[in-house]
Amino acid sequence: MRGDTKPDVCVIGLGYIGLPTAAIIARAGCPVHGVDVTQRVVDTINRGEIHIEEVDLDGLVQAVVQRGLLEASTEVAPADVFVIAVPTPFAKDGNHTPDTSYVMAAAETVAEVLKKGDTVILESTSPVGTTEAMRDAIAAKRPDLAMPGLCDGQPDVSIAYCPERVLPGKILEELTHNDRSIGGITPRCARKALAFYKRFVKGECVTTDARSAEMTKLVENAFRDVNIAFANELSMIADRQGLDVWEVIRLANRHPRVNILTPGPGVGGHCIAVDPWFIVHGAPEEAKIIRQARETNDAKMHHVLARAKALVEANPGAKVACLGLAFKANIDDFRESPARYVAASLAREFGERVQVVEPYAGELPKEFEGTGAELVDIDTALEKSGVLITLVDHDVFKVIPPEERQAKAVYDTRGIWPDVA
Ligand code: SAJ
């Protein structure tokens, strides 16, 4: 970085986090070189268009590309600051083992162009110790550079971990306004990364060490998972005991220190259902509640399917409307969605009796092919179906008045209709 001039930034991984982050950094006036392994993604961005759905992202990307502040390619380029936002999926061993190979591969390509004074920041959700492992990978490739934590004097480069904590559907707003934890390999690394984030983050940026920041990210999502599991477990207990779980939660939440979350058909998305396993993997003996919560939330999906099936079987011949496929309300993201799993399982079993209502989908996902199930609008479903199964709490479903549902058998897995137990 030269004096107070804007740093050149290289963002590696242009997905749900990388692209909005690159666009926001560019909006702050820093020239951004975005890198993605997929040529189609690169071409789309260079045309000023986007390959993912996110509120207001299209206009922002178009603007920064037009101003020449964001350009993309498949190759890493020299920069002052490198931001790595690549996926950290599970390994294919079936044991929920974190696969950090994309992070390490990105770090190795950064190492090729790294120079004295540069900062490398990892944003991908990662198991504890990944930032140090990334530093080691860079050190192995660049013995000419003094590395933080490995040298006696001043290191040549800074390396830090700074997780995002944005909610899909509100990414641009939350990227700007949420507080950030910034963990440096050394305090000096954290300060370097802090100065960078202050250019575009309005929330408070708090510095710590890299391992604490890594754990903080995992803990945030595990906290939510455990609390949702509590709600889901309650709903299964209530089913067993013939209680209305919504009534019980409404009443319990009147206590000033109780705030029970909302039961549903399970936990979807790519964060809350994944990150807790990174904690379990790191401390399998100790992480008992966290593991149990994951298992409870997965079990809820099967509980919902069994209850839905029983309702369909109790209404022979009736059309069945499954309301929603998305993993949560008011978004068009159908990946890792319990609603989608339940609806597709019903479609496989009950075929053309099943109608799916998903205002955010243009067509049914591929697993519905050949089942006979069809995608219909809400009016058709209300007209034709005798059974309603609410799987997503989209606003458009919440406003369906009681008289339009009265004559039907209803299973409301999200509790969107207070008159239905
Ligand atoms: N859910 C329930 N009941 C609830 C709340 C949520 O069943 O009371 C379900 C949702 O329907 C959905 C899943 O949980 O299937 C997760 O939804 P979410 O809205 O709680 O969270 P995500 O996955 O969209 O985003 C989370 C956020 N983390 C936290 O709230 C702690 C977000 O801030 C993170 O940035 C994001 O994970 C991430 O990228 O890690």
Side-chain angles (χ1 to χ4, degrees), residues 47 64 72 78 164 208 215 232 238 252 312 320 341 370:
R47 285 196 305 272
V64 290
E164 53 73 30
T208 180
M215 189 58 165
N232 278 334
V312 177
V320 179
Y341 169 81

Side-chain angles (χ1 to χ4, degrees), residues 164-166 168 217 221 224 261-262 268 271 327-328 414:
E164 53 73 30
R165 39 166 66 135
V166 295
K217 168 68 192 183
N221 281 347
R224 189 128 169 107
L261 295 184
T262 316
C271 309
F327 89 85
K328 65 177 187 174
R414 296 274 185 177

Side-chain angles (χ1 to χ4, degrees), residues 325-384:
L325 290 178
F327 89 85
K328 65 177 187 174
N330 306 324
I331 61 167
D332 66 347
D333 193 338
F334 310 126
R335 296 170 304 165
E336 314 299 330
S337 167
R340 177 175 165 176
Y341 169 81
V342 171
S345 305
L346 292 174
R348 270 194 299 278
E349 186 137 355
F350 300 104
E352 58 192 25
R353 285 180 64 192
V354 175
Q355 302 186 312
V356 178
V357 185
E358 177 47 87
Y360 291 90
E363 57 184 21
L364 286 177
K366 58 182 180 328
E367 67 268 29
F368 287 84
E369 265 171 34
T371 61
E374 53 171 349
L375 183 67
V376 300
D377 62 25
I378 187 64
D379 291 332
T380 309
L382 288 171
E383 211 175 291
K384 301 257 172 72

Side-chain angles (χ1 to χ4, degrees), residues 307-319:
R307 218 185 122 177
K309 269 188 193 173
L311 187 67
V312 177
E313 278 158 6
N315 290 273
K319 287 265 186 200

